[in-house]
């Protein structure tokens, strides 16, 4: 992801080495909100996201930047990044947990995952 990718210097250097950079932009149809969506921006954004997924044939999820942070923690500890694909927002809502608590549980899991395969080893 962005935080785990190449540095800004590296990206700028590569851009300067290519005199012509091409990009393709796809525009979907205009989405007009109904009255309910005009009153609730979150509802509107979710429906636009879902519609964009349909238009461009993409899978949509409720992953957040916290999920990216957890994946970076997994990679740092030599665990598979897929082991923390959990939708942190759902965990936070259901269990009233903050990201720090989720990280502590994940770190405890890492101690039990001695072979670093994303599964409990003991």
């Amino acid at each position: 992801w962005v935080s785990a990718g190449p540095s800004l210097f590296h990206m700028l250097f590569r851009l300067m080495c290519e005199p012509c950079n091409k990009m393709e932009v796809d525009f979907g149809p205009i989405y007009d909100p109904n009255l309910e969506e005009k009153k609730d921006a979150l509802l509107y954004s979710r429906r636009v996201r879902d519609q964009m997924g349909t238009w461009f044939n993409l899978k949509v999820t409720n992953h957040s930047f916290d999920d990216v942070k957890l994946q970076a923690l997994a990679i740092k500890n030599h665990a598979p990044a897929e082991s923390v694909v959990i939708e942190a927002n759902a965990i936070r809502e259901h269990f009233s947990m903050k990201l720090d608590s989720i990280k502590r549980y994940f770190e405890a899991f890492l101690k039990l995952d001695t072979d670093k395969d994303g599964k409990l080893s003991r």
Side-chain angles (χ1 to χ4, degrees):
W1 217 73
V2 175
S3 61
S7 68
L8 178 61
F9 174 76
H10 182 96
M11 288 188 295
L12 289 174
F13 177 74
R14 290 203 49 195
L15 280 171
M16 290 188 290
C17 289
E18 294 182 34
C20 179
N21 293 285
K22 296 179 181 176
M23 178 176 78
E24 182 179 323
V25 178
D26 290 328
F27 291 95
I30 295 173
Y31 184 86
D32 291 318
N34 59 30
L35 287 175
E36 183 183 15
E37 294 167 339
K38 287 180 180 180
K39 294 177 183 176
D40 185 356
L42 188 58
L43 175 65
Y44 173 68
S45 66
R46 285 181 181 150
R47 288 187 178 164
V48 168
R49 181 193 63 188
D50 293 340
Q51 191 64 48
M52 288 173 65
T54 302
W55 287 331
F56 300 117
N57 196 28
L58 299 170
K59 181 181 176 185
V60 293
T61 66
N62 289 322
H63 289 95
S64 66
F65 190 64
D66 288 345
D67 291 292
V68 175
K69 290 179 184 177
L70 289 170
Q71 285 189 323
L73 180 64
I75 292 167
K76 179 182 171 186
N77 287 285
H78 309 289
E82 307 85 47
S83 63
V84 288
V85 179
I86 60 169
E87 294 189 18
N89 285 337
I91 299 293
R92 194 176 306 117
E93 288 176 20
H94 291 304
F95 298 107
S96 300
M97 295 175 73
K98 294 186 178 183
L99 180 61
D100 291 336
S101 298
I102 297 171
K103 281 183 179 180
R104 281 197 303 274
Y105 278 105
F106 181 62
E107 288 166 350
F109 168 80
L110 287 172
K111 290 177 185 173
L112 298 173
D113 181 21
T114 55
D115 56 0
K116 305 294 182 203
D117 65 351
K119 299 175 184 168
L120 293 177
S121 301
R122 296 191 232 171

